[in-house]
Amino acid sequence: YKALPLPETLVSNIALRPLSASEVELMEEHIEVRRAMPEDEAKAFLTKLRTKVARYGEDPVALLLLGEAELNSGNYDAARGIAERLVKVAPNNARALWLKGKVELKLAEDAENVSVAVKGARDWIAKANAADPADPLPFVTMFDSYSVEGKRPGKAAIDGLAEAQRLVPQDDSVRFKLA
């Protein structure tokens, strides 16, 4: 192995804190939500997750997790509603802003005016990037937004994807997009 240096923005901003009650209870689901599941397993997962998240009301961690799960399950209207709630609760949270942009981007695929819808999604994604420039997800999602329009990404989107690859060099999916 060749040890790669960690980005300075990650090393200089490390802080430890206790996990919240929602983070503790939803840890397993947080890991599982990113795993591809058969449809029947995904439905059971989502049902269980909805029940657990309901205990936490407007908790941003719980809402973000549920929003991602709804989005991944194709429940776009539910994901949009959760993203909107999340942005109200945590208006400066980069992941909240990212989720709103990601949902709007998915909905843009079927919009009457795709370009206008994609621009709206990009506005949310740009807000997410401004809220946390060391989060790779807004960079990747911005890059992906060009495929929704059927356009080639511009230099800024490619540079953003390169930054995402620098931030998470272990993520092969980012590397493959960049190639």
Side-chain angles (χ1 to χ4, degrees), residues 18-168:
L19 295 177
S20 69
S22 65
E23 289 169 317
V24 171
E25 183 175 354
L26 298 169
M27 182 63 69
E28 183 178 323
E29 288 80 5
H30 179 76
I31 294 166
E32 290 292 311
V33 77
R34 289 167 179 80
R35 182 176 66 82
M37 300 178 204
E39 187 175 341
D40 59 332
E41 188 180 337
K43 285 181 182 179
F45 171 81
L46 193 53
T47 299
K48 178 178 137 185
L49 181 61
R50 286 175 181 148
T51 300
K52 281 188 167 185
V53 167
R55 295 182 211 148
Y56 293 100
E58 301 299 297
D59 180 276
V61 170
L63 289 175
L64 178 62
L65 184 60
L66 182 58
E68 284 186 67
E70 295 285 6
L71 180 63
N72 294 346
S73 296
N75 302 326
Y76 306 129
D77 289 335
R80 176 187 260 169
I82 292 164
E84 289 171 355
R85 281 173 56 198
L86 182 55
V87 168
K88 285 180 184 173
V89 171
N92 299 316
N93 181 300
R95 289 290 169 106
L97 299 165
W98 166 81
L99 179 64
K100 176 68 171 145
K102 179 87 171 172
V103 170
E104 295 303 325
L105 186 60
K106 188 64 183 168
L107 291 168
E109 293 176 6
D110 296 322
E112 189 172 311
N113 188 329
V114 173
S115 292
V116 169
V118 168
K119 184 194 177 315
R122 285 186 186 134
D123 289 346
W124 288 103
I125 297 163
K127 288 177 187 177
N129 178 251
D132 185 357
D135 186 343
L137 284 179
F139 290 119
V140 174
T141 307
M142 186 66 79
F143 180 86
D144 291 345
S145 72
Y146 287 88
S147 67
V148 173
E149 281 187 294
K151 294 182 177 179
R152 292 184 56 85
K155 181 176 177 356
I158 294 168
D159 289 347
L161 189 63
E163 178 63 9
Q165 205 277 315
R166 186 186 73 75
L167 291 166
V168 286

Side-chain angles (χ1 to χ4, degrees), residues 5-18:
L6 289 173
E8 184 60 35
T9 55
L10 294 179
V11 176
S12 64
N13 294 326
I14 295 174
L16 298 177
R17 64 167 177 79

